[in-house]
Each structure stands twice: as C-alpha cells, then as structure tokens.
Amino acid sequence: MQIKRKILKSTAMLLSASLIGLFAAAEYYSAKLPDTITTDTGTAVHIAEFPEITCGSLSDGAVAVSDTFPASSRVTLSLFGAIPVKNVEVREEEAPTLIAGGTPFGIKLLMEGVMVTKLGDIEDVSGDMRCPAEEAGIEVGDVIRFIDNVPVTSNSQIQEIISGSSGRTLKVTINRSGKEFTALLDPVFTKSERCWRGGMWVRDSIAGIGTMTFVNKETGEFAGLGHPICDSDTGETVTISSGEAVPVEITEAVKGETGIPGELKGRFTSSDTLGILERNNDCGIFGTLTEDVYSSCCTDGEEYKMGYCQEIETGEAYILTTVSGSVPERYTIEIESIDYTGKDSTKNMIIRITDPELLEKTGGIVQGMSGSPIIQNNKLIGAVTHVFIADPTKGYGIFAENMADYLCG
C-alpha cells in the first residue's frame, strides 16, 4: 500500500512537472511569435524558425500547415498541433515583385519648414546677454512652419523676417514631435551688429548618400535606407516638403574598426533626377522613379518576390551593395537571429558579414551601406540598417515587408 502511494505521488509529480513545462513552452512561443502574419496568396502559414508550430482555425483547432486561409482571419498557432500557444491574425495578399537595389543614390531634401539646430545668447544695446528664442519657449529640434502666418522654407527667409521686424513681437508656429503650437518671439537689437536677431540657428535642407533597397515593379515606387534621415545636430527625424534622388558614385570605402564605424564616401555625378523623394519615416526614405529610370530598372534589374518575415530563417543569405563605383556586388552574410515580433522596428534581424572580400574592403558594415537589400532563398527579405560599433562585422536588418508597408501609394 505504501509503495502504491509512492508510485501515485511520483506520477502526480511527473504530471505536474510536465504541465509546468508545457505552460513554460507555450509562454516562450507566445513571446516569440508575431501578433499578425501576412502570407503570400495561396501559401501555407509556416514559421521558418519554428517548424514545430502549426496553424489552425479557432473553431476547428489545429490543422495541417498546408491548409490556407481567407484574406483575413483569426487562427491558432499550436505546438505540434496539440498545444495552443497563441491566437493571431493571418492576412493573405499577393507578395509584390521587387527589383533589387544595392545602388547608391544622392539625397537632396528640403524640409517642411526650418529646423532649429542651436540657440545662443545675444548682447543687446544695454550690454545684457539674452536669447529671444529661448525666452519664447523655442527648443533645439523644433520645426518652425510659419511666422505671422507666412510659411517659412529657408534660413535666409527667416533671418530676413526677423531682421525686418523692427522689434515687434512675432507669432511663430512650431511643430514639436508632431504637435503644433504658437510661440511669441521678441527679437533683440544687437549691440555689435546693430540689427534685430532671434538667437537661433536653423537648417532648411539636407544632402547625403544612401543605398536603394528595392523598386516596386508595378508602380515605380522605391524604398531606401531602412531607417529615417535625421538631422545631424538634433537627431530628430526630418519632415520633408520635397526632395530628389540623384546619381552618385562611391569613390572611397573607409574601413571600419572596433569602436570606429567606417563609411562610404562618394560624389554626385550629375544633376539629373533619378526620382522624387516623398516620404521620410522610421522605415526609410521613399519616392517614385522618373519614367526613364523606371523603364531602365524594369529592363535591367534583378527581380525577386518579397519574402514575408515568417519565411526568414537563420543561416546564409547575401546582400547587394556598392563599395566602389555605382554597380552593386553580391556578398555573403549570416542571419544570426530574427525578431518576428518587430513589425514596428528597424532592428528585426541580427546579421553578420561573412564574405572575405567585403571584410577586406570595409571591415564589415559601414555607414552608407544602409538600405542594401538582403536576399535569401531567392526572395528579397530585408535591408541592412545599422552597424554594431563594438563589432563592425555585425549589425541589424529590417524586414522588407516593414518597408513595403510605407510605399507612397
């Protein structure tokens, strides 16, 4: 009898431990799996890194992964088809055909307003040091949109308005982190220059070099960088009113070292326009190619279906990037980890450069390489976005679908 009780107790303990283990496994997978999955039309729901996860409708329970679902539905992801771990939304839509980039392009942006990059004191006629902008509540990073209801678009324009104010109070309309408000600026007459000043420095345009990620074959829209263009002084994302992409040639690749990121240096080769830049946000820079450039891309470019995030797996892939001239080359990389939950992130994958030739040329990932497309299993799955300062052979990548969500159309 005592032996029987011991057996029952041991069995109960084993069952309890098994249940705890199953609950822990369910919590682990729930944290690792996305809330929403988009799948190509007619393609099974399959998580590349978790083949043990199967998918079924909420009403029918777990079913084979070969089953497909309507345009949008709620489904259950299960462990081995038996243990439910997460309810998710599955959307079915045709994956776009993308023309791979990897080519460098010049970026010329005009801001939507002017951005305040610095504040400074001014000595007035009585010898006092004052900063009118600071007194008005203006801060570095603010974007000035209007002065006395007149749109301002350039540094020279805003200085002309202030210097011609005769000291009267100016109503300044400001955008700060997406919120608009009005400040009252009282210019100061300077002792040394004998003119009216506001005590602030502003920027109205930005120029730089980036890498194009892909062109949508159907529309001619393109995406690049995989992260926003930010003001170098304030770190704020630049809100653009207009801009253009222009041809660029890479003239030098400065090799990266531990603690010192490398960079690609280049020059604008002509004033010809490749396309119009229309949007700058967390996932990159977006625009539309000119008709001639679009036609050339469709004729000469490499085409790939876009890969959705759940199709990506750790292991070998390659990038297309340009480290000399204007023609991209193919270089091998290793995808070391994937964050399937990062739909709003630019850091969805950790990648490592493995190609000996690229390591010799650049030491790994360098500034200017952002936007280089990542190809795996003959699909365009993402783009390079960041380099690890402590190890330039490694960095982050963004999902291609995150970028495609923000195409201008």
Side-chain angles (χ1 to χ4, degrees):
M1 194 69 177
Q2 189 174 2
I3 294 173
K4 187 176 181 180
R5 280 198 298 269
K6 286 183 177 180
I7 292 173
L8 290 172
K9 185 177 180 181
S10 298
T11 302
M13 291 175 65
L14 286 171
L15 287 172
S16 177
S18 298
L19 287 172
I20 291 171
L22 290 175
F23 281 123
E27 288 181 3
Y28 168 81
Y29 285 107
S30 180
K32 293 290 185 180
L33 295 168
D35 296 320
T36 303
I37 296 173
T38 305
T39 184
D40 196 7
T41 304
T43 302
V45 178
H46 174 68
I47 314 295
E49 280 296 283
F50 302 122
E52 63 274 24
I53 295 296
T54 61
C55 186
S57 67
L58 286 177
S59 58
D60 299 334
V63 297
V65 293
S66 58
D67 287 1
T68 58
F69 298 89
S72 179
S73 60
R74 295 289 294 176
V75 303
T76 298
L77 299 180
S78 301
L79 182 59
F80 302 116
I83 305 166
V85 295
K86 192 169 190 175
N87 295 331
V88 302
E89 181 182 0
V90 173
R91 301 170 183 167
E92 186 178 283
E93 59 185 50
E94 186 173 355
T97 298
L98 305 175
I99 301 170
T103 52
F105 68 102
I107 298 167
K108 294 181 177 180
L109 297 180
L110 284 177
M111 296 183 186
E112 200 171 73
V114 296
M115 180 176 285
V116 179
T117 60
K118 183 180 177 182
L119 301 178
D121 288 337
I122 298 169
E123 185 179 9
D124 64 18
V125 290
S126 62
D128 295 330
M129 301 301 293
R130 296 175 53 195
C131 179
E134 186 175 22
E135 292 171 2
I138 296 171
E139 299 178 359
V140 170
D142 286 349
V143 176
I144 298 175
R145 301 287 308 282
F146 303 90
I147 296 182
D148 286 346
N149 297 319
V150 176
V152 290
T153 59
S154 69
N155 181 23
S156 58
Q157 182 188 10
I158 199 170
Q159 297 306 330
E160 183 180 342
I161 292 172
I162 293 174
S163 63
S165 67
S166 300
R168 65 182 175 83
T169 299
L170 301 172
K171 185 175 73 171
V172 183
T173 304
I174 292 169
N175 185 292
R176 179 183 297 165
S177 301
K179 296 182 179 180
E180 200 162 277
F181 66 96
T182 299
L184 299 178
L185 177 70
D186 294 310
V188 165
F189 195 76
T190 65
K191 184 176 182 180
S192 57
E193 298 176 281
R194 311 297 294 178
C195 63
W196 297 98
R197 290 286 182 258
M200 58 184 173
W201 284 258
V202 300
R203 178 178 290 124
D204 55 21
S205 62
I206 284 181
I209 293 175
T211 297
M212 192 169 293
T213 306
F214 57 76
V215 177
N216 185 313
K217 185 182 179 183
E218 298 300 320
T219 65
E221 298 170 295
F222 67 88
L225 294 187
H227 62 69
I229 296 173
C230 298
D231 184 83
S232 58
D233 292 312
T234 67
E236 296 288 328
T237 298
V238 175
T239 302
I240 64 175
S241 63
S242 64
E244 61 178 334
V246 297
V248 157
E249 178 185 26
I250 301 299
T251 57
E252 182 184 5
V254 179
K255 198 170 184 177
E257 301 175 7
T258 301
I260 306 174
E263 65 174 320
L264 299 177
K265 295 184 177 182
R267 63 184 182 88
F268 292 6
T269 56
S270 77
S271 59
D272 294 341
T273 297
L274 297 175
I276 302 302
L277 300 175
E278 299 162 339
R279 185 176 298 178
N280 175 44
N281 62 31
D282 289 346
C283 290
I285 187 82
F286 303 87
T288 304
L289 296 179
T290 64
E291 188 173 341
D292 289 345
V293 176
Y294 172 45
S295 298
S296 176
C297 281
C298 288
T299 302
D300 303 327
E302 290 187 74
E303 295 181 12
Y304 299 90
K305 273 277 196 177
M306 186 186 77
Y308 290 105
C309 67
Q310 72 275 4
E311 301 177 65
I312 305 169
E313 57 189 357
T314 55
E316 188 172 85
Y318 66 87
I319 63 172
L320 294 171
T321 196
T322 305
V323 296
S324 179
S326 57
V327 179
E329 300 287 342
R330 180 179 300 196
Y331 300 101
T332 58
I333 67 168
E334 186 85 6
I335 299 176
E336 295 194 336
S337 66
I338 306 159
D339 179 6
Y340 288 123
T341 65
K343 280 292 291 178
D344 298 320
S345 171
T346 62
K347 299 176 179 179
N348 305 129
M349 300 173 273
I350 293 179
I351 63 173
R352 177 170 54 88
I353 304 297
T354 57
D355 195 286
E357 183 181 353
L358 187 58
L359 290 171
E360 176 62 29
K361 290 177 178 178
T362 66
I365 300 169
V366 297
Q367 295 175 357
M369 201 179 283
S370 295
S372 300
I374 302 172
I375 313 294
Q376 187 183 62
N377 297 326
N378 204 38
K379 290 190 175 183
L380 199 157
I381 60 168
V384 179
T385 59
H386 299 79
V387 59
F388 291 174
I389 301 299
D391 181 1
T393 67
K394 298 172 70 172
Y396 286 115
I398 184 175
F399 294 147
E401 67 177 289
N402 286 11
M403 297 179 73
D405 282 345
Y406 287 98
L407 288 175
C408 303

